[in-house]
Each structure stands twice: as structure tokens, then as C-alpha cells.
Amino acid sequence: MSDDHQIRTDLADMDLDLVHRWLSTDAYWSMGRSREAVGTAAEHSLNFGAFARDGRQVAYARVVTDRANFAWLCDVYVDRDHRGKGLGTRLVAAAAERLDALGVRRTLLATRDAHEVYTGFGFTPLPDPTMWMIRTPPDRG
């Protein structure tokens, strides 16, 4: 682990106001997400943060999991000023290590970029994407 950044997993260490700003204003998959939704999601997930020497959080990822069979790696975000330092890779490595220790056999993610980061950890395209389905609730607006 680099001396410049530390990976932490305690929810109490996460700066969820900052994470909310990142996700709701700069992450294509979560634009407009509410602060409440970020907090609720974090409370019910495994959280991974990268922190600079001065204690500032500079990256975040979370995993939704039953801690036995299935996990979904999501919300992987590195602050724009800290990209290119391998922090996203370190967060994915920490998540993979934690899930392997739990014995989780299947981890999914969705991304439209950074495929090279994830293939290094064994992620591959779905073998049969026609098996997968999605449900979204009707618009209540």
C-alpha cells in the first residue's frame, strides 16, 4: 500500500457529503442522486474509501452484498484531482479481497469505461446476457 493513501472501510470514516457531491454531480451513473439515497446506500453496503495523508477522502467504492453468494460492485469514484494514481485499482483490489474472504462466488458490476481496471480482477462480460433481466419501477411523477 502506498504511503500517500490509505484504504479504509469503516462507514464512520466516509465523508458522505463529499461522496454525495461526487456521485450526484460528476458520475454518469448517479447524476442527481439525493444525499439521503447516498447515505442509505452506504449504510447497507460495504464501503471502501481512499484517504490522503492529511485525512481527506479522495476516492470511494461500495459493494452491495448478501455476504455469502452475491455482490455488486458500484459507485467506484476517484476525485478528478487524484486520478491516474491507481486509487480505483486499489479500491477494487480491497473490495475483491474482502469478498473473497467472505466466500462470495459471484460479483457483478456495470461500467461503460475502465474495463481494463476490472478485467485485471477477473471481471469478464456476462457469458449469456440474454439470461439477465431488469425491473425499474413505473414513473410516479
Side-chain angles (χ1 to χ4, degrees):
M1 186 176 290
S2 166
D3 291 337
D4 293 336
H5 296 92
Q6 180 183 43
I7 304 297
R8 297 186 206 154
T9 59
D10 191 332
L11 177 59
D13 290 339
M14 303 302 144
D15 182 344
L16 295 181
D17 290 330
L18 177 61
V19 170
H20 169 252
R21 183 168 52 83
W22 287 336
L23 296 179
S24 67
T25 66
D26 195 41
Y28 68 83
W29 63 89
S30 60
M31 297 296 286
R33 187 179 294 173
S34 73
R35 171 61 177 84
E36 179 182 15
V38 169
T40 299
E43 289 171 18
H44 297 281
S45 300
L46 301 176
N47 297 275
F48 300 85
F51 293 82
R53 277 188 159 179
D54 64 5
R56 286 178 306 119
Q57 187 168 357
V58 296
Y60 178 76
R62 71 183 180 92
V63 175
V64 179
T65 182
D66 62 8
R67 299 176 189 231
N69 302 298
F70 177 81
W72 172 39
L73 175 62
C74 55
D75 291 342
V76 179
Y77 184 91
V78 178
D79 183 274
R80 288 188 175 272
D81 293 337
H82 293 270
R83 292 181 183 171
K85 300 176 183 179
L87 295 173
T89 299
R90 289 184 53 204
L91 288 175
V92 175
E97 182 178 308
R98 178 77 183 275
L99 293 169
D100 289 349
L102 291 171
V104 173
R105 303 294 302 159
R106 177 175 290 136
T107 304
L108 297 179
L109 66 85
T111 185
R112 70 177 186 207
D113 54 15
H115 289 83
E116 68 283 353
V117 171
Y118 301 111
T119 58
F121 293 95
F123 284 93
T124 61
L126 291 171
D128 186 359
T130 62
M131 290 179 45
W132 292 88
M133 298 178 73
I134 187 170
R135 179 188 181 272
T136 56
D139 185 12
R140 305 266 185 213

